[in-house]
Amino acid sequence: MSGAAPEKMVYAFGGGKAEGRSGMKNLLGGKGANLAEMANLGLPVPPGFTITTEVCTAYYANDRQYPEGLKEEVEKALGEVERITGKKFGDPSNPLLVSVRSGARASMPGMMDTVLNLGLNDDTVAGLAKLSGDERFAYDSYRRFIQMYSDVVLGVAHHTFEEILDTYKDDRDYVLDTSMTAEDWQAVIAEYKEAVESALGKPFPQDPQEQLWGAIDAVFGSWMNERSKTYRRLNNIPAEWGTAVNVQAMVFGNMGETSATGVAFTRNPSTGEKRVYGEFLINAQGEDVVAGIRTPQSLTKQSREEQGSDEPSLEEAMPETYKELAAVFQKLEDHYRDMQDIEFTIEQGKLYMLQTRNGKRTAKAALKIAVDLCAEGKISEDEAVMRVDPAALDQLLHPSLDPNAERDLIAKGLPASPGAASGEVVFTADEAERLAQEGRRVMLVRVETSPEDIHGMHAAAGIVTARGGMTSHAAVVARGMGRACVCGAGDLKIEKDGSKFTVHGREVKKGDQITIDGSTGEIFFGAVATIEPELSGDFGKLMEWADKHRRMRVRANAETPLDAKTARGFGAEGIGLCRTEHMFFDADRINVVREMILADNEQGRRAALDRLLPFQRGDFEQLFREMKGLPVTIRLLDPPLHEFLPHGEKEIGEVANALGRDVKDVKDRLSQLHEQNPMLGHRGCRLAVSYPEIAEMQARAIFEAAIAIGKETGDPVQPEIMVPLVSTKKELDLVKDRIDAVAQKVFAEAGEKLVYTVGTMIELPRAALTADKIAHSAEFFSFGTNDLTQTTFGLSRDDAGSFLPNYLRHNILDQDPFVSLDQEGVGQLVAIGAQKGRETRSLIKLGICGEHGGDPASISFCEGIGLDYVSCSPYRVPIARLAAAQASLAAKKRAEG
Ligand code: ADP
Ligand code: MG
Ligand code: MG
């Protein structure tokens, strides 16, 4: 296939104007669109151009061939850059050098690293030396270019060059790169070139055009590398988006002591405090600041003093330039109406802007910035609600160190990402992932991290690095993931063989427990106790705004009084799912439960159930008391009975003994209860059909408790009794009749009535498809999307772990359907169920109670089909409240056009 070439493939920027805008992120990528926007704002942006994401898409659609006409457009745009800069690409006397930078819609680690100083070769390097009057600078730039280009474009490993340089320096007793003269760099360059030639069998490319297209190819190529794929998978970014390529005239932060390069946030990305926050390095280039090779200096005097550093801040070292920079920060923040993450370079006193984007931030900072911007009149309440990523709220709910716990401080680094965590030390990302899969909590300890480590960072409870600043890879990625992280703990000496690290004479071996506090940068030996967080005033305010806009109610899945209390504390408006079987497992009653299950006849079962009744009634009393009149949905017993029975030989013996029964007897009953496919077996309402006395006991416990607590508190309790795993109306009717009969009996005994409802879970495809019939009997539906996902896909949740990851890797599924609702399939059944339910009973109450009830994307789907509430685990209640508000606001916006 060929596919027509996109109409315009290259967008120029620079010289005070640009062809693109910040609204064109889909086409130009985030970096390109914002470079264009900054140029249009009249900010000092080195000129350049952006090759669009459509070219990337066309490239892959067309068997890695570029659309026709691209070369010409690139040539023209490059000509424009030459005109603005007055330099010429490849001209030995006045060479134009460029950077080649990838830039997808969302910033994406895993994409090709930027190549700087492109256009240098044995001839142009001499031109650069003459032009700058600085030979050393020119050859330093050239060797950097060879190193970078060889690594990211040609695939010659970085360490090849590090080793050459280290050996060269060692031989001459040089410690710092600053000892290297122009001649030294020339000698190193010769060795670099040899190394490239011997690795590749051909020389390092000298032709600037070849260099340029090599780099462009490499950017587009990196869109499909494994790292990018992993990142896209973890972040739900579709492969179709493609990346853009930015080619931009170089400016040099490494042209001596009046040159510098830096990164800044217009507000503190950890706390949200309204204060410029950033780092810079004098006489440095590009990634030096984030690479953690030298320790960067603070931008402001205030933060330098706070950090107790002697190295001057930019504010002190270059006051004029700092003033100009501060004005740019203000301008950009006002323009984007959000906190910006900015890269800049100073070339011999002249300021250049190289990047801006809405800055990544912790949840705490996100809340504070949204609330502050609203107070500053920059954004509305609605916008503030839309600004905070609901999933990120999770971070606020992370624990901190118990102030009373014993602790053994062994080191301190930078407080890179908040939260306290402990885990056993591992030194590689693969190891972290492997142990985490075994259910162990691990602490990933690295010299520094790179995009190859992402899977391990994801798997770890926390991350420690020995090198790198607050804007290093580890810090940025950890904050984004909500992992606790301590960076730049320079005292850690990590053994190369990955067996241990030493710090101040102490050894910490692989497998030892350590604890980190990502809010202070402290590292402790052993597992230190942690405590639950308290939520800030900003949180309360934003939640209050969110609740104003929310249509759907938010309930919690909770069965213990503690869960219920937590849920209410987080703002739950009821319990959407109380799983009664959890109550059966308590040590003081499991044997009565077993006695009931093992009984030979109804009479035996009823005797055991009579003894269970007071326990169950007590459970429900506590729950109702805690929920203070809020609705509580109680699901009748659901799992197959053998889940309650002993398994091993020894346990079977003990149970037989405790119940005074024969071991053989117990074994016989066990094998009767054995099922091939328990997930599809004798469970849910099928139990109530076979043993209605169980449902009767539970109904009685519910009604008696409800009456008692109604009397005690004066708040009438309105229980909602939910019959699980219904697939036909008749099944439900049979169970419902029993429940209603018990109700009448209990009411007569108590001389008191209460309002209750009986409904069902919709968790089987047949129930969804016949929901109109079922709704004649059910007063409410709760979509049990965990089982509905299993039964719709024919996929067992317990077994999917071994093959589902492959489905994600091969993009057969975009997401784990047990985490985020499969809207196309399972969602369709939910929508059908909701619609059919309403056909019969227009005011039927509809909710969802699977894991999906706490997933923002699924919540937005629920808003779309008009469910009344979502129910999720207590800790996700704030997330659900915010996600529901955002879904309502988005729906409102759509309705308004
Ligand atoms: P990333 O997306 O990893 O931040 P960038 O493309 O922003 O990659 O570039 C990496 C580093 O190189 C940044 O510090 C950036 O400021 C610097 N850089 C990129 N282009 C230029 C340029 N034209 N002149 C000087 N420095 C540049
Ligand atoms: Mg990079
Ligand atoms: Mg950048």
Side-chain angles (χ1 to χ4, degrees):
M1 67 168 278
S2 70
E7 203 147 291
K8 181 170 173 55
M9 296 179 273
V10 175
Y11 285 71
F13 57 85
K17 60 184 178 22
E19 294 176 330
R21 288 177 284 106
S22 69
M24 294 165 68
K25 289 200 176 68
N26 294 357
L27 186 64
L28 303 181
K31 202 178 282 168
N34 285 327
L35 283 168
E37 189 81 0
M38 286 200 290
N40 277 328
L41 285 172
L43 296 177
V45 177
F49 55 89
T50 304
I51 306 175
T52 68
T53 57
E54 285 177 358
V55 172
C56 181
T57 314
Y59 176 75
Y60 282 106
N62 206 10
D63 206 13
R64 301 201 181 211
Q65 299 288 317
Y66 290 120
E68 221 160 291
L70 180 67
K71 299 252 157 170
E72 291 74 12
E73 280 197 47
V74 166
E75 225 159 82
K76 186 164 155 261
L78 192 62
E80 187 58 18
V81 177
E82 290 175 332
R83 196 188 57 76
I84 296 172
T85 56
K87 297 177 184 171
K88 251 187 125 43
F89 194 57
D91 180 350
S93 61
N94 185 21
L96 167 67
L97 305 183
V98 297
S99 64
V100 176
R101 321 168 66 183
S102 60
R105 282 192 213 185
S107 139
M108 238 182 76
M111 291 301 301
M112 190 198 85
D113 285 334
T114 296
V115 175
L116 302 177
N117 310 334
L118 188 141
L120 279 175
N121 58 26
D122 295 349
D123 299 328
T124 54
V125 68
L128 181 65
K130 223 165 105 219
L131 218 59
S132 61
D134 187 344
E135 263 207 311
R136 184 187 179 281
F137 152 75
Y139 286 98
D140 180 26
S141 300
Y142 188 21
R143 69 91 194 177
R144 284 171 186 262
F145 170 57
I146 296 175
Q147 205 166 324
M148 252 184 278
Y149 191 91
S150 302
D151 179 23
V152 306
V153 178
L154 304 176
V156 182
H158 194 62
H159 66 80
T160 317
F161 304 101
E162 302 235 297
E163 277 157 25
I164 292 173
L165 181 55
D166 284 347
T167 312
Y168 188 91
K169 278 164 44 184
D170 280 351
D171 289 350
R172 284 156 189 80
D173 284 333
Y174 293 168
V175 178
L176 298 173
D177 284 2
T178 42
S179 310
M180 297 283 288
T181 64
E183 289 70 35
D184 288 326
W185 285 129
Q186 278 173 298
V188 167
I189 286 165
E191 288 188 47
Y192 277 9
K193 288 200 297 191
E194 264 170 45
V196 172
E197 186 154 2
S198 83
L200 300 176
K202 55 180 186 208
F204 184 83
Q206 289 287 317
D207 175 8
Q209 283 294 338
E210 185 189 339
Q211 294 173 354
L212 178 63
W213 284 99
I216 294 172
D217 290 348
V219 174
F220 287 135
S222 71
W223 182 251
M224 287 295 173
N225 70 22
E226 287 308 312
R227 281 194 288 163
S228 304
K229 285 192 204 162
T230 304
Y231 185 83
R232 283 202 291 273
R233 185 158 45 76
L234 292 173
N235 292 278
N236 305 315
I237 295 175
E240 297 79 53
W241 281 9
T243 182
V245 181
N246 299 289
V247 177
Q248 186 176 26
M250 281 303 301
V251 289
F252 299 96
N254 56 336
M255 257 198 196
E257 296 303 305
T258 58
S259 300
T261 184
V263 296
F265 292 89
T266 56
R267 300 182 189 221
N268 185 315
S270 280
T271 64
E273 193 191 352
K274 189 181 177 183
R275 217 171 91 185
V276 169
Y277 177 88
E279 299 167 329
F280 78 109
L281 277 175
I282 289 189
N283 199 6
Q285 191 176 41
E287 308 267 37
D288 290 356
V289 177
V290 291
I293 293 160
R294 275 156 63 190
T295 299
Q297 296 156 239
S298 300
L299 284 188
T300 62
K301 179 161 178 269
Q302 190 183 358
S303 57
R304 173 185 68 77
E305 286 169 353
E306 282 166 7
Q307 293 181 2
S309 160
D310 300 328
E311 298 288 320
S313 64
L314 187 71
E315 193 175 6
E316 294 156 297
M318 303 182 189
E320 283 309 309
T321 315
Y322 177 76
K323 240 186 248 156
E324 196 188 333
L325 187 61
V328 172
F329 291 164
Q330 189 63 50
K331 185 165 186 172
L332 284 173
E333 202 185 89
D334 289 350
H335 180 73
Y336 286 97
R337 302 186 311 135
D338 201 355
M339 184 264 269
Q340 295 298 295
D341 170 356
I342 291 167
E343 295 175 5
F344 63 91
T345 280
I346 300 165
E347 179 182 301
Q348 300 192 321
K350 171 144 179 44
L351 176 67
Y352 290 96
M353 305 311 297
L354 290 169
Q355 191 171 331
T356 193
R357 61 180 169 205
N358 293 340
K360 287 216 164 79
R361 61 204 76 182
T362 63
K364 183 178 169 193
L367 285 171
K368 179 160 172 54
I369 291 169
V371 169
D372 285 355
L373 284 173
C374 185
E376 291 161 28
K378 301 230 174 79
I379 61 175
S380 67
E381 269 180 33
D382 292 12
E383 283 177 293
V385 168
M386 294 304 284
R387 285 283 174 92
V388 178
D389 172 11
L393 291 182
D394 225 6
Q395 286 178 28
L396 296 177
L397 316 170
H398 285 322
S400 58
L401 293 178
D402 179 349
N404 300 318
E406 294 254 326
R407 42 181 97 181
D408 174 8
L409 183 69
I410 52 172
K412 204 165 171 203
L414 299 170
S417 180
S422 44
E424 53 183 293
V425 169
V426 295
F427 294 100
T428 67
D430 289 344
E431 179 100 340
E433 189 178 59
R434 195 171 58 72
L435 294 187
Q437 274 165 0
E438 289 172 14
R440 286 151 71 175
R441 288 176 65 78
V442 298
M443 188 66 61
L444 180 61
V445 179
R446 309 269 306 149
V447 174
E448 60 197 324
T449 64
S450 73
E452 277 111 298
D453 296 321
I454 295 225
H455 62 294
M457 298 172 77
H458 207 255
I463 299 148
V464 176
T465 68
R467 217 150 66 182
M470 292 291 285
T471 47
S472 64
H473 179 264
V476 172
V477 172
R479 280 199 293 271
M481 286 179 177
R483 292 290 174 286
C485 176
V486 173
C487 269
D491 297 335
L492 264 56
K493 299 280 171 287
I494 300 172
E495 212 66 32
K496 282 230 168 60
D497 65 3
S499 60
K500 63 179 180 197
F501 68 80
T502 52
V503 59
H504 304 303
R506 290 184 59 175
E507 277 192 357
V508 178
K509 289 199 266 311
K510 187 168 96 179
D512 285 347
Q513 290 277 336
I514 61 169
T515 302
I516 61 171
D517 184 343
S519 312
T520 61
E522 290 166 314
I523 304 174
F524 307 94
F525 191 77
V528 182
T530 55
I531 51 168
E532 296 311 313
E534 282 208 32
L535 295 169
S536 73
D538 295 325
F539 175 83
K541 187 162 274 173
L542 197 99
M543 280 299 166
E544 189 191 307
W545 295 344
D547 287 347
K548 272 198 233 168
H549 296 290
R550 179 158 58 82
R551 183 190 61 79
M552 284 190 294
R553 300 263 155 197
V554 175
R555 297 192 187 186
N557 301 344
E559 32 274 334
T560 67
L562 182 66
D563 284 352
K565 192 170 172 185
T566 308
R568 266 180 19 92
F570 285 138
E573 298 164 295
I575 289 179
L577 175 63
C578 164
R579 303 169 165 101
T580 47
E581 59 270 18
H582 289 203
M583 300 165 164
F584 279 31
F585 278 106
D586 273 14
D588 54 354
R589 55 190 89 163
I590 181 70
N591 272 339
V592 190
V593 173
R594 286 168 172 167
E595 187 180 324
M596 183 268 290
I597 296 169
L598 294 170
D600 298 319
N601 52 34
E602 184 182 331
Q603 200 190 353
R605 268 192 302 279
R606 283 201 185 269
L609 285 166
D610 284 346
R611 286 165 54 215
L612 279 175
L613 175 67
F615 286 120
Q616 279 265 277
R617 190 172 51 222
D619 294 332
F620 296 138
E621 281 174 0
Q622 287 187 29
L623 207 57
F624 292 149
R625 197 178 283 126
E626 191 58 56
M627 292 311 287
K628 301 197 183 356
L630 292 172
V632 177
T633 306
I634 297 166
R635 178 177 72 183
L636 299 182
L637 193 64
D638 181 50
L641 295 181
H642 58 81
E643 282 193 12
F644 300 98
L645 296 177
H647 294 293
E649 202 54 46
K650 180 161 160 267
E651 240 201 315
I652 294 174
E654 282 166 10
V655 168
N657 202 16
L659 302 184
R661 301 187 55 148
D662 237 33
V663 173
K664 184 175 169 299
D665 235 28
V666 172
K667 281 193 179 158
D668 285 350
R669 183 77 180 124
L670 276 176
S671 63
Q672 271 172 16
L673 286 167
H674 175 79
E675 291 179 301
Q676 298 299 338
N677 266 315
M679 192 251 291
L680 303 175
H682 196 183
R683 53 170 289 219
C685 68
R686 297 163 199 170
L687 289 173
V689 170
S690 311
Y691 312 117
E693 54 278 7
I694 301 178
E696 284 175 6
M697 181 280 285
Q698 292 198 294
R700 174 171 281 275
I702 294 167
F703 292 129
E704 288 180 355
I707 289 174
I709 297 303
K711 255 195 216 146
E712 177 189 307
T713 62
D715 286 328
V717 178
Q718 294 183 35
E720 303 171 340
I721 300 178
M722 182 153 75
V723 181
L725 214 75
V726 161
S727 55
T728 69
K729 173 175 178 294
K730 282 187 181 162
E731 266 172 316
L732 175 60
D733 285 341
L734 194 143
V735 183
K736 183 169 153 49
D737 286 349
R738 296 280 183 151
I739 295 169
D740 289 340
V742 171
Q744 292 318 312
K745 241 189 263 168
V746 174
F747 296 165
E749 287 162 19
E752 211 167 313
K753 283 187 182 213
L754 53 79
V755 179
Y756 70 95
T757 52
V758 177
T760 181
M761 274 180 104
I762 302 289
E763 51 189 332
L764 294 172
R766 193 182 193 285
L769 296 172
T770 59
D772 49 341
K773 307 230 166 53
I774 293 173
H776 282 290
S777 305
E779 289 160 285
F780 64 86
F781 286 167
S782 177
F783 292 93
T785 48
N786 294 347
D787 267 326
L788 192 58
T789 300
Q790 296 200 94
T791 52
T792 302
F793 275 93
L795 185 72
S796 147
R797 222 185 339 164
D798 302 322
D799 300 313
S802 64
F803 56 88
L804 203 52
N806 298 334
Y807 276 65
L808 300 173
R809 199 166 305 129
H810 294 303
N811 290 320
I812 297 171
L813 292 172
D814 290 336
Q815 287 192 71
D816 181 337
F818 294 108
V819 172
S820 197
L821 187 72
D822 159 48
Q823 299 183 9
E824 189 183 13
V826 180
Q828 197 180 145
L829 284 170
V830 175
I832 290 171
Q835 185 221 326
K836 292 204 164 201
R838 286 203 186 98
E839 275 168 22
T840 301
R841 192 186 287 265
S842 61
L843 294 179
I844 189 167
K845 198 191 272 185
L846 301 174
I848 182 174
C849 64
E851 288 303 301
H852 307 102
D855 169 63
S858 312
I859 290 169
S860 151
F861 175 83
C862 295
E863 170 70 33
I865 58 167
L867 298 194
D868 298 299
Y869 70 88
V870 298
S871 188
C872 57
S873 69
Y875 277 90
R876 296 195 75 84
V877 166
I879 297 173
R881 283 164 70 197
L882 183 55
Q886 292 185 350
S888 291
L889 283 169
K892 198 173 103 192
K893 212 167 159 193
R894 271 196 304 276
E896 286 166 1

